[in-house]
């Protein structure tokens, strides 16, 4: 499985960005997808997650500002980020967990390479 993330960039505080992540491979479905981020000098943290049933979860600091969604194919995930703050600056990583392949095999915990989001004050 390859996860290709895109959409990062430089934005002023209060602005918006949308991150996209597409999974490729002989995938039947992905049960769980998420966005993590890692700021300089800090540990990687879970930002938002979404299940194949479209149940979502967010960390408190982004609730009301970020929205995670799945694409129609269920092999893609998006993160709409509004009202961005300087503290949102980080490398954002896409994660896919419990991947079910077309041949029935199940595997876990794939990561994309990350996309940098920089929010200026």
């Amino acid at each position: 499985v390859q996860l290709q993330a895109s959409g990062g960039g430089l934005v002023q505080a209060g602005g918006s960005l949308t991150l996209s992540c597409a999974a490729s491979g002989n995938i039947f479905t992905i049960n769980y997808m998420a966005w993590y981020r890692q700021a300089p000098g800090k540990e990687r943290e879970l930002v938002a997650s979404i299940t194949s049933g479209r149940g979502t979860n967010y960390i408190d600091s982004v609730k009301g500002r970020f929205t995670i969604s799945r694409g129609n194919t269920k092999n893609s995930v998006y993160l709409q980020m509004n009202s961005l703050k300087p503290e949102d600056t980080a490398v954002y990583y896409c994660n896919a967990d419990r991947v079910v392949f077309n041949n029935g095999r199940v595997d876990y915990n794939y990561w994309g390479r990350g996309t940098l989001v920089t929010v200026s004050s």
Side-chain angles (χ1 to χ4, degrees):
V1 174
Q2 288 192 330
L3 297 174
Q4 184 66 44
S6 61
L10 174 64
V11 64
Q12 288 188 332
S16 299
L17 283 174
T18 300
L19 305 183
S20 302
C21 177
S24 60
N26 292 321
I27 300 169
F28 175 69
T29 191
I30 301 175
N31 289 140
Y32 176 94
M33 298 191 80
W35 289 96
Y36 287 72
R37 67 185 180 188
Q38 187 166 18
K42 295 188 177 181
E43 294 186 353
R44 190 174 297 189
E45 64 176 354
L46 175 64
V47 176
S49 64
I50 186 167
T51 66
S52 55
R54 305 187 189 273
T56 59
N57 187 47
Y58 300 89
I59 57 170
D60 287 345
S61 61
V62 307
K63 286 181 180 177
R65 300 189 297 123
F66 290 12
T67 302
I68 189 170
S69 61
R70 298 283 292 262
N72 289 333
T73 64
K74 295 188 177 180
N75 292 343
S76 56
V77 64
Y78 306 93
L79 187 67
Q80 173 68 43
M81 305 185 293
N82 298 325
S83 303
L84 282 161
K85 304 176 180 180
E87 51 263 44
D88 295 318
T89 295
V91 177
Y92 284 70
Y93 296 90
C94 176
N95 175 266
D97 202 8
R98 201 175 191 283
V99 178
V100 182
F101 294 90
N102 289 328
N103 63 4
R105 183 173 67 91
V106 179
D107 207 351
Y108 299 87
N109 205 25
Y110 290 90
W111 291 92
R113 293 187 63 182
T115 184
L116 176 62
V117 172
T118 304
V119 185
S120 63
S121 57

